[in-house]
Amino acid sequence: MAEIASRKSMTEGELAVLIGFSALALLALVGAAKAEDSAFAFHAFLTAAASVAVVFGTFNHYFDRPADPPPQEIDGRPNYNFAPIKVAAVFAMFWGIAGFLVGLWAAMELAWPALNFDLPWFNFGRIRPLHTSAVIFAFGGNVLLATSFYVVQKTCRVRLAGEIAPWFVVLGYNFFILIAGTGYLLGVTQSKEYAEPEWYADLWLTIVWVVYLLVFLVTLIKRKEPHIFVANWFYLAFIVTIAVLHLGNNPALPVSVFGSKSYIAWGGVQDAMFQWWYGHNAVGFFLTAGFLAIMYYFVPKRAERPIYSYRLSIVHFWSLIFLYIWAGPHHLHYTALPDWAQTLGMTFSVMLWMPSWGGMINGLMTLSGAWDKLRTDPVLRMLVVSVAFYGMSTFEGPMMSIKVVNSLSHYTDWTIGHVHSGALGWVGFVSFGALYCLVPWLWGRRELYSLKLVNWHFWIATIGIVFYVSAMWVSGILQGLMWRAYTSLGFLEYSFIETVEAMHPFYMIRALGGALFVVGALIMAYNLWMTVRHGEAVSAAPRPALQPAE
């Protein structure tokens, strides 16, 4: 007698989600009722609403799905899970444009201060951290989630670990972004650079990040390929180190479990040391290691060439990982931090030049024999120019860490120019290139809707970066020279307001550069939207099963 098909039943993951989020909804409602400030009450209501939505979404998923779990393979080929990656890619584009617009508004406020309209929500002190978090953690973070989940599946030839866990990571991370961003506008902040969110947002991010690590690790463990591709090493270093940095920099004691305010465990110079150990390595592992993983997968893939030197990529990885973690104290030159610690940070920062340029050379030399593609493929051009910006930023950074240079550059717009040459040129362009590659692959399109629009995006954004960065370089050096100018009697030659007035033309040029970068991002969003809606679908003709490399 034929065996009766198994009945549909709740999986352990679905039950855990239903129980956990039902309990979280109740706790959030209690928190909203007992809240000691309006911001905490607002976030508690948001949490309750999101938890209820997750419960209903889980029930809906249960009733719609088949009884059996998705197969790991179909006809001998991995059955990849691209659905959460699609959502992360959409979030990346949404948060990117939002973050760029907020940054443009902040730049315009510096040039024309009346644009804050005397409203607290538009105050520069609130929208500036909103801009940095939106472009780094919302835009950049979602790009990293999407690319890491894609690359680890493709290079391991297995389906992403878990069915609910990847969704929890993507949606949970973006809920953290929502809580953090609205908190900034409401004045909820720890006042720590790149670590502004308060204690309850940090707790939620910790849970999400642990699940992210587990999903990535389990996918690696069950891989069908014996070799771990180098991009996965960079992704793993980024995930693990960001977790360590987050736990080290954010231990805080809340004044009340029903209030948003907390006090950090560290104090004084110890707090500064922890903050810039965190802050610089957020740059080193979030904005560098994670995006180098993107470079090591997408540049060879787009160029259709192997990595120039796999051995160099391994040397690049281990030297970068070892050196970067020590460089944070160079942010604290001429402060109460002991001089030996300042010198240690400077020394390791200068040493970072070598592995950084090793990675840049490896990325650029991957195009050996394929340089002609730059004339016809603007996506590859964007990826290659991002690597060039990486090389420029990683030369300028070590130079600015040297004490005598830092005495001129620190606290000036030169630092802003340096940060944005890396953020817009390196992180921005490599993210754009990755999304231009990912969207057709994920939605099964033969190619992008318009390569001509990619070309327009590339040149408009590049001109915008040149305006922005060159204006800030000139402005910063001028600031530093004016601040240290003395009269023959030993008095300061310029008042502070005179230095501010001198910056006004450069702030207008910066706003123009930022506006051009936003225009490029809007062109990109339209191009990707049209690719999904009207792009030519890839033929569904069967392909031969994958064979292991000889």
Side-chain angles (χ1 to χ4, degrees), residues 172-406:
Y173 184 79
N174 282 279
F175 182 70
F176 161 76
I177 296 297
L178 180 63
I179 292 293
T182 55
Y184 299 158
L185 294 177
L186 294 171
V188 176
T189 174
Q190 290 189 112
S191 301
K192 294 170 75 72
E193 183 75 356
Y194 308 137
E196 304 269 356
E198 270 289 1
W199 64 274
Y200 51 91
D202 285 338
L203 281 176
W204 176 250
L205 179 60
T206 302
I207 297 169
V208 171
W209 209 259
V210 169
V211 177
Y212 180 26
L213 174 61
L214 291 175
V215 170
F216 196 86
L217 270 179
V218 174
T219 306
L220 279 177
I221 290 169
K222 68 174 189 175
R223 67 188 184 277
K224 294 295 180 65
E225 288 288 344
H227 182 78
I228 298 177
F229 187 65
V230 66
N232 292 324
W233 283 105
F234 278 95
Y235 279 128
L236 193 58
F238 138 69
I239 297 170
V240 171
T241 311
I242 291 300
V244 174
L245 297 171
H246 179 73
L247 294 175
N249 192 46
N250 289 291
L253 183 66
V255 175
S256 167
V257 293
F258 299 114
S260 58
K261 181 62 181 172
S262 68
Y263 288 97
I264 201 71
W266 323 114
V269 73
Q270 287 81 12
D271 186 28
M273 183 64 245
F274 265 102
Q275 163 58 32
W276 283 111
W277 167 75
Y278 165 90
H280 192 77
N281 287 294
V283 174
F285 288 87
F286 200 97
L287 297 177
T288 301
F291 290 92
L292 283 170
I294 296 175
M295 180 197 80
Y296 272 118
Y297 182 84
F298 285 89
V299 170
K301 187 78 173 176
R302 192 75 186 186
E304 298 179 317
R305 302 288 297 172
I307 293 174
Y308 172 68
S309 171
Y310 205 84
R311 181 176 297 175
L312 179 58
S313 72
I314 300 302
V315 173
H316 177 209
F317 172 79
W318 286 111
S319 54
L320 194 82
I321 297 311
F322 174 74
L323 294 176
Y324 232 122
I325 205 74
W326 300 93
H330 77 231
H331 288 266
L332 298 170
H333 285 325
Y334 307 105
T335 66
L337 190 73
D339 192 64
W340 67 264
Q342 299 176 34
T343 304
L344 182 76
M346 178 187 72
T347 303
F348 276 89
S349 299
V350 172
M351 291 167 66
L352 267 170
W353 182 11
M354 293 176 284
S356 298
W357 273 40
M360 176 197 67
I361 291 168
N362 212 5
L364 292 178
M365 292 302 291
T366 296
L367 270 75
S368 296
W371 287 102
D372 60 293
K373 292 179 181 288
L374 295 180
R375 294 198 301 269
T376 57
D377 187 353
V379 176
L380 181 61
R381 190 187 310 143
M382 188 168 276
L383 289 168
V384 170
V385 169
S386 78
V387 179
F389 270 108
Y390 170 67
M392 180 179 70
S393 298
T394 53
F395 170 79
E396 186 181 29
M399 181 185 69
M400 293 173 71
S401 75
I402 299 170
K403 283 187 176 183
V404 66
V405 180
N406 196 267

Side-chain angles (χ1 to χ4, degrees), residues 522-546:
L522 291 171
I523 292 172
M524 177 183 184
Y526 173 77
N527 200 1
L528 295 183
W529 170 258
M530 295 299 289
T531 299
V532 173
R533 291 297 300 272
H534 301 292
E536 180 186 355
V538 174
S539 172
R543 291 179 293 176
L546 295 173

Side-chain angles (χ1 to χ4, degrees), residues 475-503:
S475 168
I477 294 171
L478 180 60
Q479 267 181 325
L481 293 174
M482 291 179 75
W483 289 349
R484 61 162 60 179
Y486 291 91
T487 66
S488 58
L489 297 176
F491 296 104
L492 288 173
E493 186 169 354
Y494 301 100
S495 66
F496 183 75
I497 192 63
E498 288 178 301
T499 68
V500 174
E501 289 174 345
M503 299 305 108

